[in-house]
Amino acid sequence: MCGVIGVAGLKNAAGLAYLSLYALQHRGQESAGMVAIDSAGTARGHRGMGLVPEVFTQRVLSELPGDIAIGHTRYSTAGSSALLNAQPSLVHYHAGPLALSHNGNLTNAEELRDDLVRRGSIFQSSADSEVLVHLIARSDRQSPEEQILDALERVEGAYTLILAVGRTMYGIVDPRGFRPLVLAELNGGWMLASETCALDIVGARVVREFGPGEWIKIEDGMVVDLPPLPKKEPQRCVFELIYFSRPDSIVFGTSVDLARRELGRQLAREHPVPNADCVFSVPDSANAMALGFAEESGVKLEHGLIRNHYVGRTFINPGQASRTEKVRIKFNPVREVIQDQSIVVIDDSLVRGTTSKALVRMIREAGAREVHMRLASPPITGPCYYGIDTPTHEELIAASLSVEEIRRELAVDTLGYLSLGGMLTAAGKEEGRFCHACFSGKYPTEIPQASAGKPNHRNDVLMVEADLIHSNQ
Ligand code: AMP
């Protein structure tokens, strides 16, 4: 998953983009990057592995002058975790420097890439996003806009894009609208961001959220709506509301916090625990869900697990070994709350089961009498091909085990998953507008064989030093 940001027509664009990227850190912790464009059209970029404040020192920011900037925070879902795959991409293009930030996964990237390579394209990275850059550059059409459209007509899957071509910025959301994007206004200039929390941090006023297939350009201080991309059935990613987005954001027209509380309430209705002493969340993503569960059921809300906030999200750091170890580093139980109690633990989702298994063990060791696990989403039975880092079938616990088998595996007294219908109703009024393929197996696009496995790590060229790119028109 990734976070994208765009700033247009604002002094110190890089400084604003930096703050916004800071607020989008939860969407990607592997690398961060930014390209700033000055009044002469010179683009300067910086990308690095690590967290936003690690990548952007004061010195680096001072070397990124301009009133236009686009930025990116990344964790890999296509292409490996390597500096060469960090974004924004920045290339020389016939109409000036072209910079691109992408959130989502292109499902036909492998096919397109093979074809491009056969025809002589030389790729810098293994990320699917670079395919778009090549398609734009090689398009037979004339203007940048026509070339971008030509490229978009050839890609499938999930893409929320912020592009800068010379001093023109584009904001684009694929026709199914898998990933969010918001337009905002600040002091006469414009901003684009994955989530509203990235706009709040700089005091920008939200103008509107992009609908599926919407694209705009920002040029000479004006926002111009471009003809929407060919219509497809909306497929907003329900996992954005369940897990991924920050609760203080408005995503797909819904307050993430309120949606999560409602998921918790629905969970309490579907799977009550009548004699429980207390309920608590696996912090932080399930906090609002536990609140909803407590409100609906009347069971006392507690803090039973304390999270060390200086450890990153367990999944975001790729590699199974570090993930298992990190669970212990990340959470600690509050014995005084847990001892001799019948407790309900709420989590937003169960993926591999590794976090939950370790947590249940900890909770039992802290003296719990009964442990009832409740999940505010249905069993995850298939991978996501649209930008969420869910693992392969083999690693997904619910892909091969029944609920009862999972209960035994986790060693809980009872286990309850929210139903698909319950989740969709709680997540939003208009049922059917969500992509829920990872729960239901109903994939809205074709999944080409090449990308049906895991992210492609072939052709990787590794670069370990932070790079600084300067590109003149
Ligand atoms: P596990 O118990 O190992 O299945 O891990 C479940 C935990 O991972 C839950 O607490 C979720 O909040 C979190 N989680 C779910 N999906 C993801 C994801 N795609 N990336 C990072 N963390 C996730």
Side-chain angles (χ1 to χ4, degrees):
M1 181 54 76
C2 303
V4 294
I5 176 81
V7 180
L10 287 162
K11 257 203 305 209
N12 186 21
L16 291 166
Y18 170 75
L19 286 171
S20 293
L21 286 178
Y22 220 135
L24 295 181
Q25 187 73 84
H26 61 291
R27 297 184 70 89
Q29 302 179 334
E30 283 175 33
S31 66
M34 201 192 295
V35 168
I37 299 139
D38 69 14
S39 53
T42 299
R44 298 172 177 86
H46 179 75
R47 302 175 298 182
M49 299 305 288
L51 301 175
V52 173
E54 292 164 354
V55 172
F56 295 104
T57 58
Q58 269 312 321
R59 185 191 66 80
V60 168
L61 286 173
S62 71
E63 289 180 18
L64 297 170
D67 61 340
I68 297 172
I70 76 171
H72 195 263
T73 54
R74 174 172 195 261
Y75 94 115
S76 47
T77 49
S80 59
S81 173
L83 181 57
L84 277 170
N85 287 334
Q87 293 189 29
S89 309
L90 176 58
V91 296
H92 294 276
Y93 173 61
H94 71 84
L98 182 151
L100 175 135
S101 287
H102 173 206
N103 176 204
N105 269 19
L106 306 177
T107 50
N108 61 345
E110 290 291 292
E111 239 170 272
L112 291 169
R113 185 188 175 107
D114 287 346
D115 182 50
L116 284 161
V117 168
R118 256 195 311 275
R119 292 192 290 128
S121 277
I122 297 169
F123 278 79
Q124 293 258 1
S125 73
S126 59
D128 58 345
S129 318
E130 199 185 342
V131 167
L132 267 168
V133 176
H134 284 261
L135 289 176
I136 295 169
R138 297 184 77 121
S139 164
D140 296 334
R141 303 203 195 154
Q142 294 305 306
S143 70
E145 240 148 85
E146 288 170 325
Q147 291 193 311
I148 294 169
L149 187 60
D150 189 23
L152 297 180
E153 281 167 358
R154 301 180 57 191
V155 295
E156 255 298 353
Y159 52 87
T160 282
L161 301 169
I162 301 182
L163 260 149
V165 175
R167 289 184 46 80
T168 304
M169 183 178 291
Y170 296 90
I172 304 168
V173 170
D174 68 74
R176 297 183 181 86
F178 288 101
R179 307 275 152 233
L181 189 65
V182 187
L183 171 71
E185 187 272 331
L186 176 68
N187 302 331
W190 302 98
M191 291 189 68
L192 297 168
S194 294
E195 290 181 40
T196 55
C197 66
L199 303 165
D200 295 338
I201 196 170
V202 293
R205 185 185 60 84
V206 172
V207 175
R208 68 170 194 270
E209 188 169 12
F210 280 58
E214 199 174 322
W215 69 310
I216 62 155
K217 76 172 168 185
I218 305 173
E219 200 169 48
D220 301 326
M222 306 284 287
V223 174
V224 181
D225 291 322
L226 296 168
L229 301 173
K231 218 174 163 54
K232 293 192 176 139
E233 200 186 319
Q235 296 285 338
R236 303 304 216 166
C237 167
V238 71
F239 214 63
E240 287 277 351
L241 296 176
I242 290 169
Y243 171 77
F244 218 82
S245 299
R246 249 171 60 165
D248 50 336
S249 288
I250 308 286
V251 168
F252 307 145
T254 303
S255 150
V256 177
D257 173 65
L258 294 183
R260 288 190 186 160
R261 285 180 198 227
E262 191 47 38
L263 287 159
R265 278 194 209 100
Q266 181 64 21
L267 186 58
R269 291 190 280 269
E270 289 186 15
H271 297 286
V273 186
N275 299 316
D277 295 311
C278 67
V279 52
F280 57 78
S281 66
V282 177
D284 292 320
S285 47
N287 288 351
M289 290 146 174
L291 199 59
F293 190 99
E295 276 169 12
E296 180 70 24
S297 62
V299 176
K300 186 172 154 215
L301 183 68
E302 271 291 359
H303 288 302
L305 286 170
I306 300 302
R307 180 179 155 187
N308 182 337
H309 283 99
Y310 303 95
V311 185
R313 280 184 167 196
T314 42
F315 268 61
I316 279 179
N317 205 341
Q320 175 74 34
S322 66
R323 183 179 307 117
T324 314
E325 289 159 14
K326 271 190 170 184
V327 173
R328 282 206 158 264
I329 302 169
K330 194 168 162 185
F331 298 104
N332 201 32
V334 182
R335 279 168 211 286
E336 292 64 29
V337 168
I338 292 173
Q339 191 116 41
D340 298 327
Q341 301 289 296
S342 168
I343 58 153
V344 185
V345 188
I346 311 275
D347 208 347
D348 59 274
S349 56
L350 195 60
V351 186
R352 294 173 173 88
T354 47
T355 309
S356 313
K357 205 171 158 181
L359 282 174
V360 170
R361 200 176 309 133
M362 260 184 214
I363 291 166
R364 290 231 184 255
E365 282 166 10
R369 196 176 78 245
E370 287 173 18
V371 182
H372 303 274
M373 182 102 196
R374 295 292 179 268
L375 297 156
S377 58
I380 300 180
T381 51
C384 174
Y385 300 108
Y386 312 114
I388 300 271
D389 179 30
T390 37
T392 52
H393 276 103
E394 296 73 60
E395 293 170 277
L396 285 169
I397 192 165
S400 53
L401 299 187
S402 67
V403 175
E404 173 53 20
E405 285 166 333
I406 298 170
R407 185 195 70 73
R408 269 187 263 138
E409 179 69 20
L410 300 182
V412 288
D413 295 275
T414 66
L415 175 66
Y417 277 99
L418 189 59
S419 65
L420 186 66
M423 172 185 73
L424 295 176
T425 311
K429 304 127 253 158
E430 312 149 53
E431 273 191 52
R433 68 174 181 150
F434 287 117
C435 173
H436 42 74
C438 55
F439 303 112
S440 62
K442 289 193 181 127
Y443 290 95
T445 65
E446 214 172 289
I447 306 300
Q449 259 338 93
S451 62
K454 268 317 283 174
N456 162 37
H457 290 188
R458 64 176 194 173
N459 296 340
D460 269 354
V461 182
L462 300 177
M463 199 154 77
V464 288
E465 305 258 327
D467 64 340
L468 200 55
I469 320 149
H470 291 258
S471 168
N472 293 309
Q473 212 168 355

